[in-house]
Amino acid sequence: MSDLPILAVTLGDPVGIGPEITLKTLMEPEALQLARGVAVGDAIVLERVARHLGLSVEINPIATVADARFTSGVIDVLNLGVVTEDLPWGEVNATAGAAAVGAIEVATRLALDGEVDAVVTAPINKEAIWAAGSRHLGHTEMLGELTGSARFNTMFWVSGLKIFFATRHLSLREAIARITRENIEHAIREAYTALEVFGTEKPRLAVAALNPHGGEGGKFGDEEIVAIAPAVAAARAAGLDVVGPIPADSVFHQGIQGRFDGVLSLYHDQGHIAAKTYDFDGTVSVTVGLPILRTSVDHGTAFDIAGTGRASHGTMKAAFKAAATLAPYARKLPAIYPPSAR
């Protein structure tokens, strides 16, 4: 047990499904074999969920990671004391938002200080964190600021394939406007670096096309001709094993079949739809470009089923397993993404 990595698992929004899926995951026998998990949030929240689900488990509030027992039937929780009473399930709440932000801040600090090997995050509600005063668009942006990183991006990991994103939280119109040769070259380099960092020797990376059928020689758009293909050619000239643009209706399938180690998606939904359709519960989000390791579920707070006991913890279980698997690489991250590179 003492050789297993320690993972800080945030509860997410206290009135969403985050506490439920965290509790269910940490109770799994497999979790105890993979890593030592410690919840980060409010003990009162986990106690409420355990009562509601009729689970026989001891919630152990602790002040430091060193106080954790890491014992079967016991959930250690770094108790923040933000939530002091039961809050309404499934409603945007500033206190809940403050609790979610506090958990992220504490878990990130623990990872930066080397007290935990990785951070696993449950979903937060953007309206709630904004109501609490946060100005961030979401988890990833918050982590970028907390760690002083400007290189952060998202990597999806599904069935052995790693999916990267050239653009993320933008309107589709703005995302397309950012498909330039310079931006795609940068995205290729970052994706390739991440593949190497997380243990892939001699990575094979494919770049998705933007337009139907890859643009059909310019008849359906010229982004492939003026931006994507030149960026791929430049990467290949630099010695990287990169191919593309490959039409998006086939490149992800080829990746799942093992032809590539990674695929660079050009915009948010292009990669999200492919991964989640193939395996919703098995898709894990990994934040790359940070000096710490962070994995996350790839879904939201599901306010509509919060408090019902019907939340599936499949994705949280997969995120926990991914963090345990990638933990040996976490020590590399500060050197790969040092302050001078941000």
Side-chain angles (χ1 to χ4, degrees):
M1 174 70 78
S2 62
D3 294 332
L4 296 177
I6 300 177
L7 310 182
V9 187
T10 65
L11 300 185
D13 192 297
V15 299
I17 65 170
E20 179 182 338
I21 62 176
T22 298
L23 184 59
K24 288 178 176 178
T25 296
L26 293 178
M27 288 183 65
E28 286 266 2
E30 183 184 7
L32 291 173
Q33 298 171 1
L34 292 171
R36 292 171 287 171
V38 56
V40 182
D42 292 285
I44 188 176
V45 173
L46 285 181
E47 289 166 353
R48 177 193 189 188
V49 172
R51 280 196 317 271
H52 192 69
L53 298 180
L55 297 175
S56 178
V57 60
E58 178 186 347
I59 306 301
N60 179 37
I62 58 176
T64 69
V65 175
D67 298 328
R69 289 153 59 183
F70 301 122
T71 303
S72 178
V74 176
I75 304 299
D76 301 300
V77 54
L78 279 162
N79 191 32
L80 304 186
V82 177
V83 178
T84 58
E85 60 183 357
D86 289 349
L87 302 174
W89 290 112
E91 296 181 9
V92 174
N93 185 294
T95 298
V101 171
I104 297 165
E105 292 173 344
V106 169
T108 301
R109 185 166 62 249
L110 291 172
L112 288 171
D113 292 344
E115 293 188 53
V116 300
D117 298 287
V119 176
V120 184
T121 58
I124 62 175
N125 181 277
K126 293 180 176 59
E127 288 184 65
I129 67 168
W130 296 336
S134 175
R135 64 185 181 281
H136 298 290
L137 290 175
H139 256 134
T140 305
E141 293 79 9
M142 195 183 308
L143 287 162
E145 180 172 299
L146 290 171
T147 59
S149 175
R151 293 176 65 180
F152 57 86
N153 210 323
T154 295
M155 176 182 82
F156 270 12
W157 189 12
V158 56
S159 191
L161 177 67
K162 297 177 174 68
I163 299 175
F164 302 88
F165 299 86
T167 64
R168 291 183 62 248
H169 291 152
L170 301 170
S171 70
L172 185 55
R173 187 185 303 277
E174 187 174 354
I176 292 172
R178 296 198 187 186
I179 304 301
T180 65
R181 173 175 174 171
E182 180 182 10
N183 288 346
I184 299 303
E185 284 188 29
H186 174 77
I188 288 172
R189 288 194 300 271
E190 291 293 279
Y192 207 87
T193 297
L195 286 170
E196 293 177 320
V197 166
F198 289 115
T200 303
E201 295 184 12
K202 299 180 180 179
R204 300 161 300 162
L205 178 69
V207 180
L210 176 68
N211 294 299
H213 304 174
E216 289 283 14
K219 293 183 175 63
F220 299 158
D222 64 358
E223 287 84 1
E224 286 77 14
I225 296 171
V226 302
I228 304 170
V232 170
R236 292 183 64 82
L240 306 185
D241 187 354
V242 184
V243 297
I246 298 175
D249 62 359
S250 61
V251 68
F252 298 101
H253 171 74
Q254 292 177 31
I256 291 292
Q257 295 301 307
R259 185 171 176 181
F260 312 115
D261 302 298
V263 173
L264 178 61
S265 167
L266 299 185
Y267 57 92
H268 183 280
D269 281 7
Q270 188 181 60
H272 276 244
I273 292 171
K276 293 179 182 181
T277 300
Y278 180 77
D279 187 354
F280 190 91
D281 281 349
T283 298
V284 175
S285 176
V286 182
T287 304
V288 296
L290 301 178
I292 66 171
L293 173 61
R294 178 257 182 157
T295 68
S296 180
V297 299
D298 66 344
H299 58 72
T301 51
F303 274 178
D304 57 322
I305 62 169
T308 66
R310 294 190 288 112
S312 168
H313 65 296
T315 302
M316 176 58 91
K317 183 177 176 180
F320 188 91
K321 182 176 181 179
T325 302
L326 296 176
Y329 304 108
R331 297 181 185 88
K332 294 182 179 181
L333 299 179
I336 301 296
Y337 304 110
S340 60
R342 296 179 207 138

